[in-house]
Amino acid sequence: MRAARLGLALLSALLVRLALPAFDCAPLILVAWVPLIAASASSRPSAALLLGLVQGFALGLAAHSWLVPALLRNFPMPFWSAALALFAVALLVAVRSALVACGVSFLRRAVPVWVSFPVLDVVAEIALPGVFPWTNALAVSSLPVWQQAAAFGGAGAVSAWLCLVNGLLAEAWLRRRSAGSWTASLLRPLLSAGIVLALMTAFGSLLMRLREAESLAAPRARIGLGHYDSSTAVADAASTLRSLSLVEQRASGPPDLWIWPETTVGTPSTRRQLLALENDYLRRDRARASRDVLLGPLLVGAVLDERGTFENSAILFGASGLLEGVYAKHVLMPVGETSELPFGLRLPNLFAQRATPFRSGADSPPLRLLGHSLGLSICYEDILADYVSEQARRSHAALLVNLTSDRWFKGTAAVDFHFALARMRAVEQRRFLVRSTRDGVSAVVDSAGRVVLGLPTESSSVVSISVPLLVSPTWAARGAHALAVLFPLTALGLLAFATLSRRKTDG
């Protein structure tokens, strides 16, 4: 029996992993947690804790296997050190699954699993987001129709209904042997699961049609979107993208805005140096006396040197060549940009030595396109829902723009994870997302989370596309904050109720 339950835990880990990027077998997430829930609910809390640890650790190893090659490629470290880092990340995922499994087991006698599991899982997602703040909602990135609840409650709202379906199916499985009445005991949770799935699918379809109507009525801007692939380009990023943009300009004319990726200009430069660079190099090649001049505004990723301190920035040059605005990255990435960690901790010297001493950017006026504000983010800021939501609210953004470099993780599943998480921001904010990357996924995502344009990842390219500028309000931030309060309080209430019930039973 113990071996069978451990097998169920491992099966659950396998199903969840297959539902996540880059496999994207999204429907599996509807049943992926059922084996673990069923095994945990039939076990003592201590045994359920162990089952959760097994499931979470196996899932963590499988989902974050990209970490080892990424570390070995970018740091002078032995294999065992990279493996130890993967072990630590997997352990974090294991703790999350263990707490959920133990909670389901403890509450089982007083609370049905279709109630306890969604609550406990969303609480765990909020409390322990992991290296990537991935949630069950991430598993349905390839099926945007199931993500539409994010517009009202963020990723937590999507995870809640997916977990509800898992909980109802697990309840049916647990009742299969004691079903005295087929309709009441077994068929009811199965039908309930089907009804929840049907309602959420219909709800998502309706919202996606509404998003389409909003997009058709909105003003539009034409974007020249650039993607840089370091393995095939024969020159540096700026030169390659300039040449490709000139080709696109000859074919389609200048767009309303060119967008090039993070650190296209990687050499730290002052504002004055950037102006000279933009005039002599980005707009035209003065050294070759080229007659071709890049026309229109240009948004480009650059490392800005502000009196000896560096800022990872997005620089907006106007059509006249003047610098019109700067967005400096606010949330720095540990290892790559800072050695500081939360709670006053610091990276080990091995990692700290590779961290460029960047400074967090200060608040600045939003960059604008055709009179509308842009919601800017750089690199992994696009996976931080609260940050993107706050930036969009402050700037009244009509379009989300992300500049990214995924060079460290090129060719690994981390690139797919990153893009899937970024797509959620478009659904939450009900805005189009334009994403320009180096060695990542460059794409345009509509306000319903669908990819309307995806650039080839294996070659550098520049493509023009017309995108709507949307200004409708969104409830995602308020709903996510409400879930962050409501679900933990509900979990505490369930635990108190179960404790009192146990005392009465034991007494």
Side-chain angles (χ1 to χ4, degrees), residues 65-94:
S65 58
W66 50 264
L67 188 61
V68 172
L71 290 175
L72 293 177
R73 185 188 305 164
N74 293 282
F75 294 94
M77 61 167 53
F79 177 83
W80 68 265
S81 296
L84 186 61
L86 175 60
F87 180 91
V89 172
L91 189 60
L92 179 61
V93 180

Side-chain angles (χ1 to χ4, degrees), residues 12-36:
S12 176
L14 175 62
L15 294 175
V16 175
R17 181 62 192 99
L18 291 176
L20 294 170
F23 298 103
D24 287 322
C25 300
L28 289 180
I29 199 62
L30 298 173
V31 299
W33 293 95
V34 173
L36 178 64

Side-chain angles (χ1 to χ4, degrees), residues 28-233:
L28 289 180
I29 199 62
L30 298 173
V31 299
W33 293 95
V34 173
L36 178 64
I37 302 170
S40 300
S42 304
S43 306
R44 294 178 179 272
S46 58
L49 186 72
L50 176 60
L51 292 173
L53 284 172
V54 170
Q55 190 265 8
F57 192 74
L59 175 59
L61 289 177
H64 296 90
S65 58
W66 50 264
L67 188 61
V68 172
L71 290 175
L72 293 177
R73 185 188 305 164
N74 293 282
F75 294 94
M77 61 167 53
F79 177 83
W80 68 265
S81 296
L84 186 61
L86 175 60
F87 180 91
V89 172
L91 189 60
L92 179 61
V93 180
V95 170
R96 186 163 83 168
S97 291
L99 293 176
V100 172
C102 183
V104 167
S105 174
F106 181 80
L107 296 172
R108 171 60 180 155
R109 288 165 56 182
V111 181
V113 295
W114 64 268
V115 174
S116 63
F117 177 62
V119 173
L120 293 173
D121 185 84
V122 173
V123 171
E125 290 180 358
I126 294 170
L128 297 169
V131 178
F132 276 124
W134 62 270
T135 64
N136 281 288
L138 175 62
V140 293
S141 62
S142 59
L143 280 178
V145 69
W146 287 353
Q147 282 193 323
Q148 299 309 304
F152 299 92
V158 182
S159 292
W161 82 259
L162 292 173
C163 290
L164 176 59
V165 173
N166 274 269
L168 287 166
L169 294 176
E171 189 72 39
W173 175 263
L174 291 168
R175 292 183 181 185
R176 74 192 189 286
R177 292 181 178 176
S178 59
S181 169
W182 172 265
T183 302
S185 299
L186 187 57
L187 192 58
R188 185 176 297 169
L190 291 175
L191 285 176
S192 297
I195 290 172
V196 171
L197 178 59
L199 288 176
M200 295 310 300
T201 302
F203 174 70
S205 298
L206 175 61
L207 287 181
M208 292 175 78
R209 287 196 292 270
L210 291 175
R211 299 293 90 80
E212 289 177 357
E214 289 176 354
S215 298
L216 291 174
R220 306 183 77 85
R222 201 161 69 86
I223 301 296
L225 177 63
H227 172 80
Y228 180 72
D229 177 65
S230 61
S231 62
T232 58

